[in-house]
Amino acid sequence: GENVEQHPSTLSVQEGDSAVIKCTYSDSASNYFPWYKQELGKRPQLIIDIRSNVGEKKDQRIAVTLNKTAKHFSLHITETQPEDSAVYFCAASIGNQGGKLIFGQGTELSVKP
Amino acid sequence: GAVVSQHPSRVICKSGTSVKIECRSLDFQATTMFWYRQFPKQSLMLMATSNEGSKATYEQGVEKDKFLINHASLTLSTLTVTSAHPEDSSFYICSALRTATSYGYTFGSGTRLTVV
């Protein structure tokens, strides 16, 4: 089955710096890659996603890149702010309109003022 | 926007009793419901996938007789933790896949289960 590896597990940056979180997936049939932000005790919130027919997607300070050949995808947050501090999860899914989402292990991001 | 209502948000139960968690899609039809469990400081681990009107598919290592899933309608899915034990204490969260919407995953707000 699908397996998603995420690194690093913790990341601390200064406010204004960039943060990069990386994931790899095992199943080459995966075709949908969302990123979620989760605050303690809350549901995951979708922050950006990318489909397998696209290499890069950007939304203001957040971008995601996908390398299908290497089975890697990454989240890039620029100009980080303290409110970006949270746990971030990558995920991968197989299926035309959505199959089961398999999550990475999570990255605890801390943005220091 | 699409909303999934999950209840209860918190529940404390005695060891050996059963607890039912309900997820209801309020303004859309959910062909598929995914159930996850999340232990503190860990990831969301998929427990099972249910499709309306059919039996759930459980992930490896998840006891189907302990975690009963019912998806009787396109708007309601339930997870019952039977004979709960302290090690079942966790955060349980559902995710509904919207009918005819590509990758339309909507998460419930989660249920914090504590078994004493």
Side-chain angles (χ1 to χ4, degrees), chain A residues 3-90:
Chain A
N3 184 48
V4 179
E5 296 286 332
Q6 182 172 347
H7 299 280
S9 56
T10 60
L11 179 60
S12 182
V13 299
Q14 286 296 131
E15 183 177 1
D17 287 350
S18 294
V20 180
I21 303 171
K22 298 182 179 182
C23 288
T24 60
Y25 59 98
S26 61
D27 196 325
S28 56
S30 295
N31 53 14
Y32 176 65
F33 308 92
W35 285 89
Y36 292 90
K37 177 182 181 182
Q38 188 182 33
E39 297 177 355
L40 192 62
K42 301 283 182 67
R43 77 188 86 198
Q45 289 184 301
L46 179 68
I47 57 171
I48 196 167
D49 58 6
I50 192 167
R51 301 187 189 187
S52 59
N53 58 348
V54 176
E56 186 173 355
K57 184 176 177 181
K58 189 174 181 180
D59 183 4
Q60 298 183 352
R61 297 187 296 112
I62 296 172
V64 56
T65 58
L66 171 65
N67 182 330
K68 283 173 56 181
T69 304
K71 292 189 279 188
H72 289 173
F73 58 115
S74 300
L75 176 71
H76 303 252
I77 306 174
T78 58
E79 300 171 32
T80 53
Q81 301 165 2
E83 49 266 39
D84 293 331
S85 297
V87 180
Y88 290 81
F89 291 97
C90 62

Side-chain angles (χ1 to χ4, degrees), chain B residues 15-87:
Chain B
S15 198
T17 61
S18 296
V19 172
K20 181 183 280 189
I21 300 169
E22 183 180 287
C23 278
R24 193 180 295 273
S25 55
L26 299 186
D27 49 2
F28 66 96
Q29 293 184 328
T31 46
T32 304
M33 191 72 78
F34 303 98
W35 286 93
Y36 293 87
R37 178 169 53 182
Q38 186 176 31
F39 292 110
K41 292 191 176 294
Q42 293 190 23
S43 185
L44 287 83
M45 299 301 296
L46 182 65
M47 299 175 66
T49 302
S50 72
N51 292 297
E52 182 262 341
S54 59
K55 288 185 179 180
T57 302
Y58 291 81
E59 295 298 303
Q60 193 171 7
V62 178
E63 300 173 58
K64 62 180 181 181
D65 294 330
K66 180 171 180 62
F67 299 98
L68 302 179
I69 291 172
N70 184 286
H71 194 162
S73 77
L74 286 172
T75 59
L76 176 64
S77 178
T78 61
L79 166 68
T80 301
V81 183
T82 64
S83 187
H85 291 288
E87 57 265 31

Side-chain angles (χ1 to χ4, degrees), chain A residues 31-32 34 36 38 41-44 49 51 89 93-106 108, chain B residues 3-4 34 36 38 41-44 46 49 59 91 93 95 97 100-110 112:
Chain A
N31 53 14
Y32 176 65
Y36 292 90
Q38 188 182 33
K42 301 283 182 67
R43 77 188 86 198
D49 58 6
R51 301 187 189 187
F89 291 97
S93 153
I94 302 171
N96 274 342
Q97 291 186 317
K100 57 186 182 182
L101 271 179
I102 302 300
F103 284 79
Q105 293 87 345
E108 185 171 4
Chain B
V3 175
V4 171
F34 303 98
Y36 293 87
Q38 186 176 31
K41 292 191 176 294
Q42 293 190 23
S43 185
L44 287 83
L46 182 65
T49 302
E59 295 298 303
F91 188 62
I93 191 163
S95 176
L97 188 59
T101 302
S102 294
Y103 310 109
Y105 300 95
T106 303
F107 285 86
S109 52
R112 173 71 59 194

